[in-house]
Amino acid sequence: MKGKVTAFGEIMMRLAAPDGGTIRGSDNFSVIYGGTEANVLAFLSALGYKTNYLTALPEGDIGGAVLDHLKKFGIGTSDIVVRGDTLGLYFSENGGESRGARVIYYRKNSEFTRLDEHSFDYDRVLCGVSLFHISGISFALSPSSRALAFRLMREARSRGVKVSFDFNYRAALGTTERAGEIFREAVKEADILLASHRDLETFLRMDEEEVMQKLPCAYLILRDRAILAPDRHSVRVSVLARNGGKYSSSMFAFPVTERVGGGDAFNGAMLHAIMSGMPLGEATVFAISAFALKHIIKGDTFTLGEEDIVNYRKVLEECSE
C-alpha cells in the first residue's frame, strides 16, 4: 500500500440528459454520483493509495447509495458525516456541435453545507495522512464549510501533512472578486497548487514567478486548455518546483467524447507522480495522458492503471501531429 490521501469536498447526484438532449426536453436522466475530490480519491485508490473522504451525506437510501458508490472504488468512508435528508443535486446536458454543455445546480442547504469546524476530530482524520487534497468549491458553498476548509488546511500543515489545492472556480457559486479574496488566503496553506495561467491572473494577480517567490508552495502546476472544436481540445502544462525544477510541455491535441472528470484525472495523476518522485517531465506527460484519456471514457470517474495511461501517450502524440 502506498501513502494515505485524505480529501474534503461535496459529492452530489448528477442527473444527466441523454446525449444530444436538453434538460428541459428530456423525460429520462441517467443517475451518476460525483464530486471532484471523490473522483481524485477514486483514481488514487485504483493506483494503490489508501484514501479517506471527508464529506456529509443524508441518512436513508440516497446516502446509502452514495456510500456504496464510494466503497466500490475503494474510497475510505469511515469519517463521513451521515445525518439529515438533503444531498446536493445537479442536472447536466452535453450540448452539441454548436452549443456548449450546461448544468443546473440544486445544492443549497445540502448536508455538506451544514458542516462546521466541530464536524471532525482533526487528530483522527489526519493521522498517518501523507497528502490532504481540497478544491476551491468547498470554500464557496457556505460560511461554515469555508471555515472548515481553512481549518482543515491549517490543521494538516501543522501536522506536517502536505496540502494540495485545486482552484476549481465555479461562477455559479460566487464572483471572481470574492473567490480571489478566498484563494489568496488558501494558497498560503498549500504545498501543491493546481491552476491555470488565467487563474493566477484572475484570482492571485500574480504571474508564475511571483507565485514561487511570494508563496510557500513546493509545486505550481498550470494546465491550460484550448477548445479547437467541440470534439477536439488541446492542452499545455507547465510545472515549477521549489527546488528550481521547471518543465513546460508541448501542446497536445486530443479527441473529446466525454466532458466530465478530465481535470480530476489530471490532478490525481499529477499528485501520484509527485508522491512517486517522478521527474517533472515524465510526471507532466503522464498527467496529460491521463487527462486526455479520460475525455474518451464515459462517466465521472477514472480508474485506469499506470500501464493504460503510459500506453495512451503514444496515441496522444499521434493525435497531436
Side-chain angles (χ1 to χ4, degrees):
M1 179 66 71
K2 299 174 183 176
K4 182 177 180 180
V5 180
T6 293
F8 171 68
E10 184 177 32
I11 188 168
M12 296 189 294
M13 177 190 292
R14 176 161 70 96
L15 297 179
D19 286 345
T22 64
I23 294 171
R24 186 165 182 171
S26 299
D27 56 11
N28 63 83
F29 296 83
S30 299
V31 175
I32 303 164
Y33 300 109
T36 179
E37 294 85 3
N39 293 339
V40 170
L41 290 181
F43 181 30
L44 291 174
S45 293
L47 292 179
Y49 292 85
K50 184 177 181 180
T51 60
N52 192 36
Y53 193 25
L54 304 181
T55 192
L57 297 173
E59 297 175 321
D61 288 344
I62 297 299
V66 180
L67 284 172
D68 291 344
H69 168 83
L70 295 170
K71 291 174 181 177
K72 179 176 67 176
F73 292 107
I75 297 172
T77 61
S78 60
D79 289 302
I80 291 177
V81 175
V82 179
R83 67 185 183 194
D85 58 9
T86 306
L87 179 72
L89 170 71
Y90 73 108
F91 292 81
S92 68
E93 59 185 50
N94 283 336
E97 291 295 326
S98 59
R99 60 188 178 87
R102 181 172 180 240
V103 298
I104 299 176
Y105 289 102
Y106 292 90
R107 68 196 309 177
K108 290 182 179 180
N109 302 314
S110 70
E111 299 312 318
F112 182 88
T113 67
R114 297 186 173 100
L115 291 175
D116 59 30
E117 293 182 70
H118 304 290
S119 297
F120 299 108
D121 180 329
Y122 300 106
D123 287 331
R124 187 181 72 247
V125 300
L126 294 170
C127 180
V129 174
S130 304
L131 177 75
F132 174 72
H133 180 66
I134 192 169
S135 79
I137 294 173
S138 296
F139 294 81
L141 295 176
S142 71
S144 64
S145 73
R146 179 165 58 252
L148 175 56
F150 275 118
R151 179 75 179 272
L152 281 164
M153 293 181 82
R154 291 164 181 155
E155 293 284 351
R157 294 202 83 205
S158 72
R159 290 165 170 77
V161 177
K162 300 298 183 185
V163 176
S164 59
F165 174 63
D166 171 18
F167 281 49
N168 209 357
Y169 167 70
R170 293 288 187 271
L173 297 176
T175 65
T176 56
E177 290 77 12
R178 180 57 178 146
E181 293 173 5
I182 294 168
F183 290 1
R184 286 191 290 275
E185 289 301 312
V187 294
K188 297 175 183 178
E189 308 297 335
D191 300 281
I192 302 170
L193 296 180
L194 298 151
S196 68
H197 281 93
R198 183 177 180 181
D199 289 334
L200 298 190
E201 178 182 350
T202 301
F203 302 116
L204 302 188
R205 301 169 190 162
M206 299 182 190
D207 61 25
E208 56 191 51
E209 300 298 337
E210 289 178 293
V211 168
M212 299 306 292
Q213 291 170 6
K214 297 178 179 180
L215 297 177
C217 60
Y219 293 93
L220 172 62
I221 299 150
L222 301 171
R223 171 172 51 86
D224 297 302
R225 177 204 296 262
I227 299 175
L228 308 176
D231 60 352
R232 186 173 173 81
H233 296 185
S234 69
V235 67
R236 190 190 305 270
V237 174
S238 297
V239 182
L240 288 79
R242 176 64 56 194
N243 64 9
K246 184 175 182 178
Y247 180 83
S248 295
S249 77
S250 56
M251 185 183 76
F252 289 90
F254 54 93
V256 175
T257 57
E258 172 60 74
R259 302 183 186 185
V260 177
D264 303 330
F266 175 88
N267 290 346
M270 183 57 79
L271 294 174
H272 163 65
I274 289 173
M275 289 187 284
S276 300
M278 287 187 196
L280 287 188
E282 180 183 344
T284 303
V285 178
F286 177 80
I288 290 172
S289 298
F291 176 71
L293 181 54
K294 175 61 190 74
H295 283 83
I296 58 170
I297 295 176
K298 295 293 291 182
D300 291 38
T301 310
F302 179 81
T303 57
L304 294 184
E306 284 191 59
E307 184 177 356
D308 297 294
I309 296 167
V310 171
N311 289 340
Y312 194 68
R313 175 175 177 173
K314 183 177 180 181
V315 176
L316 182 61
E317 290 170 342
E318 291 174 353
C319 289
S320 301
E321 292 177 353

